[in-house]
Amino acid sequence: MYKKISNISERELIEKELGIKYKFPRLYTPSPVIDGTQETTLSVITMNQPDHISYAIWGILPNNYEGEWSDFQKVMNTLNISKESIHSNGIFEEPYRERRCLIIVTGFFIYHLYKGSLYPYHVYLDAKKPFYLAGIYNTLDDGFITCSMLMTEATGIVSKIQNLNATMPILIPEKLNNLWLDPNADQGEIDYILNSHNALELSAHPIAKEFFKNDISYESMLEPVYYEGIPLV
């Protein structure tokens, strides 16, 4: 389960790199650790509003849901959705067809268990620039957007490090972002993106264990911490 991601880019850099602006720019704040268990918001580009960057609560809720986000998450954690679950659960299949989104991040976190201790790793692009993760979303009656991150089999550097699960977020390369958001796209093409490994050139390094307390600075997160016996790639 992926519960924490990172978005450390300044708003101006995100808008420059992605060629799209925030609808409400003053609401954006860079964050080394975004903790999905705390009902937090992510920067997203949605199918119905592809011309600007919106905000979405991390953890999709059914369209007609009227209760508390936290209550639903206690029953069904929807921070991450495996690609196998999309077609086996009705609340995911319809958003996958009709409401896909791009989740903007600068990194995510994986873990390595070694001799009874957990070691966190920061995974990011070589250039340390913002990139897209595949997501689905719903818009509630009050206008709030809720979203989930889509997951696939771990490959590359992620599969070499993490040993607690075999999944990772689905990365969407820039050349496919318009297709992912296209409401008229052939479903076969969308399924191809879902099932292909469009791996970007990712890097990873171990970081300080203050991460587990959400108490790690931007500067500390970028600095590798070397622990004896854990993998370095």
Side-chain angles (χ1 to χ4, degrees), residues 101-153:
C101 65
L102 297 167
I103 300 171
I104 301 170
V105 303
T106 55
F108 54 91
F109 302 97
I110 60 177
Y111 311 93
H112 185 82
L113 179 65
Y114 179 72
K115 291 186 177 181
S117 294
L118 275 178
Y119 297 88
Y121 284 71
H122 178 216
V123 182
Y124 53 93
L125 275 182
D126 286 342
K128 299 180 183 178
K129 293 181 179 180
F131 58 96
Y132 297 126
L133 303 180
I136 58 174
Y137 71 97
N138 282 327
T139 302
L140 304 181
D141 290 341
D142 58 11
F144 282 101
I145 301 170
T146 64
C147 73
S148 290
M149 184 186 305
L150 301 182
M151 310 296 288
T152 189
E153 301 90 354

Side-chain angles (χ1 to χ4, degrees), residues 63-130:
N63 265 334
N64 58 354
Y65 183 72
E66 298 179 353
E68 296 291 329
W69 175 91
S70 57
D71 291 341
F72 189 84
Q73 295 303 310
K74 291 174 185 175
V75 175
M76 186 176 191
N77 188 314
T78 60
L79 299 180
N80 318 136
I81 305 298
S82 70
K83 64 181 184 181
E84 292 79 16
S85 298
I86 290 174
H87 299 296
S88 64
N89 192 315
I91 70 170
F92 304 141
E93 186 169 17
E94 198 257 347
Y96 172 63
R97 293 195 312 268
E98 306 292 339
R99 290 181 296 281
R100 297 179 297 276
C101 65
L102 297 167
I103 300 171
I104 301 170
V105 303
T106 55
F108 54 91
F109 302 97
I110 60 177
Y111 311 93
H112 185 82
L113 179 65
Y114 179 72
K115 291 186 177 181
S117 294
L118 275 178
Y119 297 88
Y121 284 71
H122 178 216
V123 182
Y124 53 93
L125 275 182
D126 286 342
K128 299 180 183 178
K129 293 181 179 180

